[in-house]
């Protein structure tokens, strides 16, 4: 393949996750079919059908807003948010709203295991009953240099950690997305090491900012947003915010995230936002605010340093920014 057509030579404005999969293995195994999918970002004109009435948790929404976390920009239009997504279980394009309607969100069992007093499973509606839902407005900064602002509803991950009763020896929380290629055709792309996995240290997971979203925009999550529960860690690049979680495991070894496994030279464990540290293939200095046509400077820790910078004291030698 001529050099000029190598995906990693594309300019920054074209950097999308489609290119992220083009490591050597992907080129060998699935490059041709993935190339065929590169149609460019598309923002559809209508909101994906959030089946609000059928969702058994619908009456829990809207929840009272927690005003601690303020935005410096307007909330992204819901219609835009639900038609510009990364949910590789449903394909590598940005508009997977229709494809993700295949996701069956009930029954949905969450498994808690690993280094806990007693492993258990709980249905997502029972879990929500044990938590108090609140609304939070967060920025979201994707590693691809675009951003949005979202009104999530959910509960702090710390509440779930307390509920899980981890042992003192647990050092990390490892989270896992469902694995079911019948429900998620993207999981037939065999060059991805499914299921999607991400992890946090206990200090990160118990920081108040780490949030489990069960809803957005005043109602249950749309499937494309990672229903029925997903992570929102707004000081980190978006790939850390794992969707449609089925398992929380408490472990003593650093979990290996799916992107880190695919391309460890570009996507690491920490993935904290830092405009001064470029991605190997593009700058992280600015971001495109989706839906506005605006480019604005990216902030260190995506602007959440006052809440989270302390976690990383003494870890300066770690690869904190990839
Ligand atoms: N979780 C799963 N299970 N599958 C994914 O493909 N993509 C990640 C993250 N979580 C992803 C995922 C990436 S790269 C980003 S930027 C965010 O989800 C996108 O979240 P959004 O679609 O709500 O903006």
């Amino acid at each position: 393949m001529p050099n000029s057509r190598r995906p990693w030579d594309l300019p920054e404005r074209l950097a999308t996750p489609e290119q992220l999969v083009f490591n050597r293995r992907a080129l060998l195994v699935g490059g041709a079919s993935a190339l065929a999918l590169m149609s460019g970002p598309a923002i559809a004109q209508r909101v994906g059908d959030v089946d609000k009435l059928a969702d058994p948790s619908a009456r829990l929404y809207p929840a009272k807003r927690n005003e601690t976390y303020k935005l410096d920009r307007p909330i992204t239009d819901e219609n835009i948010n639900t038609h510009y997504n990364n949910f590789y279980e449903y394909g590598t394009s940005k508009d997977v709203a229709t494809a993700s309607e295949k996701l069956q969100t009930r029954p949905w069992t969450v498994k808690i295991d690993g280094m806990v007093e007693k492993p258990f499973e709980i249905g997502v509606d029972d879990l929500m009953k044990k938590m108090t839902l609140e609304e939070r407005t967060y920025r979201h900064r994707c590693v691809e240099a675009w951003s949005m602002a979202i009104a999530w509803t959910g509960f702090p991950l710390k509440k779930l950690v307390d509920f899980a009763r981890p042992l003192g020896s647990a050092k990390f929380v490892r989270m896992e997305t469902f694995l079911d290629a019948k429900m998620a055709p993207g999981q037939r792309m065999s060059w991805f090491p499914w299921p999607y996995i991400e992890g946090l240290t206990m200090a990160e997971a118990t920081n108040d900012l780490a949030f489990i979203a069960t809803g957005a925009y005043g109602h249950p999550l749309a499937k494309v947003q990672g229903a029925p529960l997903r992570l929102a860690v707004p000081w980190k690049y978006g790939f850390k915010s794992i969707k449609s979680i089925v398992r929380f495991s408490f472990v003593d070894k650093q979990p290996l995230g799916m992107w880190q496994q695919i391309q460890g030279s570009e996507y690491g464990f920490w993935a904290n936002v830092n405009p001064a540290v470029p991605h190997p293939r593009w700058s992280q200095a600015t971001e495109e605010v989706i839906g506005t046509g605006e480019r604005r400077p990216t902030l260190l820790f995506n602007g959440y340093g006052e809440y989270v910078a302390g976690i990383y004291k003494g870890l300066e030698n770690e690869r904190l920014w990839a």
Side-chain angles (χ1 to χ4, degrees):
M1 188 184 280
N3 275 357
S4 60
R5 296 193 46 201
R6 294 187 315 186
W8 49 91
D9 291 335
L10 288 173
E12 177 196 334
R13 72 188 160 76
L14 291 179
T16 72
E18 284 93 327
Q19 282 81 57
L20 307 190
V21 301
F22 286 104
N23 60 10
R24 192 170 295 134
R25 182 159 176 245
L27 280 168
L28 287 173
V29 183
S33 56
L35 263 181
L37 293 169
M38 285 177 61
S39 54
I43 297 172
Q45 297 306 307
R46 65 181 186 88
V47 181
D49 294 330
V50 182
D51 200 352
K52 296 168 206 168
L53 296 175
D55 190 302
S57 67
R59 62 182 175 76
L60 300 175
Y61 302 87
K64 191 169 180 300
R65 184 173 292 180
N66 175 343
E67 299 287 353
T68 311
Y69 305 107
K70 301 247 190 286
L71 289 177
D72 56 353
R73 61 195 73 178
I75 292 176
T76 303
D77 186 272
E78 181 179 9
N79 191 33
I80 292 172
N81 176 265
T82 53
H83 287 91
Y84 192 92
N85 301 90
N86 284 329
F87 201 174
Y88 274 51
E89 284 82 348
Y90 291 96
T92 55
S93 103
K94 283 283 182 284
D95 191 351
V96 284
T98 304
S100 66
E101 285 302 314
K102 268 185 166 245
L103 171 62
Q104 294 302 317
T105 57
R106 296 295 188 288
W108 192 274
T109 306
V110 176
K111 189 182 214 172
I112 311 271
D113 65 1
M115 302 167 86
V116 290
E117 283 179 22
K118 195 165 181 243
F120 61 93
E121 293 188 352
I122 184 166
V124 70
D125 293 299
D126 291 333
L127 177 65
M128 274 192 253
K129 273 187 215 139
K130 303 210 177 280
M131 307 288 152
T132 309
L133 298 192
E134 62 182 61
E135 185 173 84
R136 294 186 182 191
T137 56
Y138 276 178
R139 289 180 291 273
H140 173 80
R141 171 61 159 81
C142 180
V143 73
E144 299 156 0
W146 55 262
S147 67
M148 295 202 201
I150 303 127
W152 298 117
T153 306
F155 52 87
L157 175 57
K158 181 180 188 314
K159 292 263 160 58
L160 186 143
V161 170
D162 292 344
F163 181 60
R165 310 213 341 234
L167 303 177
S169 46
K171 293 195 174 69
F172 302 91
V173 187
R174 176 189 180 278
M175 287 154 279
E176 197 176 300
T177 297
F178 68 88
L179 180 63
D180 182 347
K182 282 201 251 22
M183 189 165 77
Q187 291 184 334
R188 290 186 210 133
M189 295 187 286
S190 57
W191 59 95
F192 283 97
W194 307 109
Y196 201 100
I197 287 169
E198 264 307 335
L200 298 172
T201 64
M202 290 299 274
E204 291 175 326
T206 55
N207 183 281
D208 188 56
L209 255 192
F211 198 60
I212 293 292
T214 57
Y217 298 93
H219 49 73
L221 284 178
K223 293 179 179 186
V224 76
Q225 291 163 327
L229 77 168
R230 56 91 53 87
L231 183 68
V233 277
W235 73 98
K236 292 180 176 287
Y237 290 118
F239 71 89
K240 293 293 291 188
S241 290
I242 178 172
K243 294 176 164 182
S244 303
I245 305 168
V246 292
R247 185 174 174 195
F248 295 84
S249 306
F250 292 82
V251 297
D252 60 359
K253 291 198 179 52
Q254 200 179 85
L256 181 62
M258 191 182 84
W259 284 113
Q260 191 182 0
Q261 202 178 324
I262 294 174
Q263 193 80 313
S265 60
E266 304 192 340
Y267 310 103
F269 171 78
W270 297 97
N272 295 306
V273 174
N274 187 343
V277 179
H279 180 280
R281 290 182 280 134
W282 57 83
S283 164
Q284 295 289 26
T286 62
E287 63 204 49
E288 182 188 347
V289 184
I290 299 296
T292 68
E294 186 196 353
R295 254 204 121 77
R296 53 190 293 162
T298 288
L299 304 169
L300 183 63
F301 290 114
N302 201 20
Y304 295 101
E306 66 177 294
Y307 306 108
V308 297
I311 299 175
Y312 306 101
K313 292 263 158 59
L315 295 174
E316 289 79 7
N317 290 331
E318 297 262 343
R319 207 170 144 239
L320 291 174
W321 316 109

